Amino acid sequence: MDCVSELYVGVDVHESKSQVAVYKSDGTLLEERRIRTKRLPRYISSLPGEKHVGLESVGFIYPIYDALVKEGCDVAVANPNNILLIARTRIKHDRVDARVLGELLRTNFFPRSHIPGEETREKRLLARERVRYGVKRANLKNSIKWLLKRRGIRVKKPFSMLGRERLRSLGIPEISYRLEELELVERFVKELDLKIKHVVSRDHNAKLLDTIPGVGAYTALFLSSALDDVDRFPDSKHACAYVGLVPSLHQSGSKSRSGHITRQGSGWLRRNLVECARWAVRKDPHMKAFYERVKGRKGKKKALVAVARKIVSYAFWMLKRNLTYVELAPWKNDWGGSPNLE
């Protein structure tokens, strides 16, 4: 391998050990081996020539990616679902997977995913942590309501100050435990909200998105960190597709029909955007007018999804042009002004 100028390395990553397949540019398989994952950067850096490395995304991919980039490798990461769409194999094991990754990389069919910088990753993690505790809070409230219903007990506004005193006075251990846990979770939510507001106050992109009616600091940070560098999207439609808010398309011959939204990307981000859409149609006359037009043709649910898609589209252009919502003035552009914001 001493005279090799370029190598293509497919790596099937696992927590303890990973499978590696090394190819020359002409397709010759030079080496296959199974090595400890922690030794992977050192091994690949020891290979001669320019190294192109292909990995499937896993939950702990960032430290491996950073270490390989630090070693001077060209590193490509792919969503496993996209790999399956391109190269589905009848036989599934680590050696085959590593070979597939190496071959896709060598032949330029590797479906690269965007890897955000370290700062953006931390913002994403903060937003997702807020999601987790928000879900825990909702689950605990639903659990308490169910325990009350099962016992035939009615408490008006159970989570108000007076309602909580009433819950404690019942002396039911299951409810008391959940109420204590709920209050702990609510404290974490408040702390996370304060931290998010602090981060948004120092994040220019998130501050821009925070000016959209119905969008708060939490969703502004969530959406701005998800879109990251908007220059990677050709237009706003691609940004909406990335978030999973565009209709799926079923086409055969001359016939084509649109289906449900694709639901790609973060489901919690989409859910947040739809909730923001509910508030946007109350606060913004332009959003409300658009919502009413779509509702008349397709119903309330699809109209809300359409408003959520509008929010992402506007967010794209706001970040692209460094404008607030008022400066973007979509109510002018949407009615034939130039340029079109769709």
Side-chain angles (χ1 to χ4, degrees):
M1 284 196 287
D2 294 339
C3 60
V4 176
S5 60
E6 279 189 299
L7 292 177
Y8 296 86
V9 186
V11 186
D12 188 38
V13 179
H14 294 278
E15 191 170 355
S16 57
K17 289 187 177 181
S18 298
Q19 181 70 32
V20 179
V22 183
Y23 285 90
K24 288 173 64 176
S25 56
D26 62 2
T28 305
L29 180 62
L30 292 178
E31 185 176 10
E32 288 183 295
R33 70 164 59 184
R34 191 168 182 83
I35 62 174
R36 291 190 178 278
T37 301
K38 64 181 181 181
R39 295 179 182 172
L40 187 61
R42 189 191 308 170
Y43 163 72
I44 292 178
S45 67
S46 69
L47 298 173
E50 185 180 350
K51 277 87 67 176
H52 305 275
V53 185
L55 313 167
E56 277 189 338
S57 181
V58 291
F60 49 91
I61 197 65
Y62 289 143
I64 299 170
Y65 173 87
D66 290 340
L68 290 171
V69 169
K70 191 175 180 180
E71 294 292 343
C73 302
D74 168 39
V75 187
V77 180
N79 185 319
N81 293 329
N82 293 339
I83 293 289
L84 284 174
L85 289 173
I86 297 172
R88 188 182 295 274
T89 57
R90 289 182 179 273
I91 301 172
K92 178 84 169 69
H93 56 75
D94 294 349
R95 182 179 293 179
V96 169
D97 289 347
R99 287 181 181 180
V100 166
L101 293 170
E103 282 287 7
L104 289 175
L105 193 63
R106 184 185 67 81
T107 55
N108 204 28
F109 282 102
F110 195 91
R112 288 176 179 253
S113 295
H114 173 67
I115 300 297
E118 189 173 349
E119 186 178 347
T120 302
R121 294 177 207 167
E122 292 302 318
K123 291 171 184 174
R124 287 185 179 185
L125 288 173
L126 178 60
R128 288 169 185 167
E129 194 70 3
R130 173 59 177 80
V131 166
R132 289 190 191 96
Y133 280 104
V135 172
K136 285 181 182 179
R137 179 177 61 182
N139 288 341
L140 284 166
K141 285 184 176 181
N142 289 335
S143 178
I144 290 171
K145 287 178 181 178
W146 169 245
L147 289 171
L148 291 172
K149 185 177 181 180
R150 192 170 65 178
R151 287 170 170 80
I153 302 170
R154 298 190 66 180
V155 178
K156 189 176 180 181
K157 296 182 180 179
F159 304 111
S160 65
M161 190 176 294
L162 291 174
R164 293 180 189 223
E165 290 179 7
R166 168 73 173 137
L167 291 177
R168 289 189 182 92
S169 69
L170 294 173
I172 301 172
E174 295 93 335
I175 293 177
S176 298
Y177 297 152
R178 283 165 177 78
L179 189 58
E180 286 183 22
E181 188 179 356
L182 173 63
E183 290 173 348
L184 180 63
V185 168
E186 285 176 334
R187 181 164 63 84
F188 290 153
V189 168
K190 286 181 182 178
E191 289 176 4
L192 285 167
D193 284 340
L194 288 173
K195 188 171 183 180
I196 286 171
K197 285 182 181 178
H198 176 72
V199 171
V200 169
S201 69
R202 296 165 175 260
D203 186 311
H204 179 69
N205 287 349
K207 278 200 290 186
L208 288 178
L209 301 193
D210 198 19
T211 65
I212 302 174
V215 174
Y218 163 39
T219 305
L221 183 67
F222 206 167
L223 181 56
S224 66
S225 62
L227 295 177
D228 197 16
D229 178 13
V230 293
D231 288 334
R232 64 195 177 101
F233 302 112
D235 52 39
S236 60
K237 291 180 181 178
H238 284 78
C240 292
Y242 179 77
V243 179
L245 283 171
V246 297
S248 56
L249 179 65
H250 305 273
Q251 189 174 47
S252 179
S254 60
K255 295 181 180 180
S256 63
R257 64 181 180 86
S258 297
H260 297 293
I261 57 172
T262 59
R263 293 187 173 87
Q264 291 182 341
S266 170
W268 287 111
L269 176 57
R270 282 193 302 278
R271 179 174 174 174
N272 271 29
L273 288 167
V274 171
E275 287 302 313
C276 290
R278 294 182 194 275
W279 287 100
V281 298
R282 298 180 191 178
K283 293 183 174 184
D284 185 66
H286 165 68
M287 294 278 201
K288 184 172 178 59
F290 173 74
Y291 169 78
E292 293 295 340
R293 292 200 305 272
V294 178
K295 186 179 76 169
R297 293 182 285 112
K298 298 186 176 180
K300 293 181 180 180
K301 290 184 178 180
K302 289 186 178 180
L304 280 175
V305 171
V307 173
R309 187 162 55 244
K310 277 275 187 189
I311 290 173
V312 176
S313 180
Y314 295 158
F316 170 83
W317 289 113
M318 288 164 65
L319 296 175
K320 187 84 171 174
R321 298 174 184 164
N322 193 29
L323 300 172
T324 66
Y325 181 74
V326 173
E327 290 169 341
L328 186 72
W331 49 88
K332 297 179 182 177
N333 292 290
D334 274 6
W335 293 99
S338 180
N340 187 9
L341 299 180
E342 290 303 315

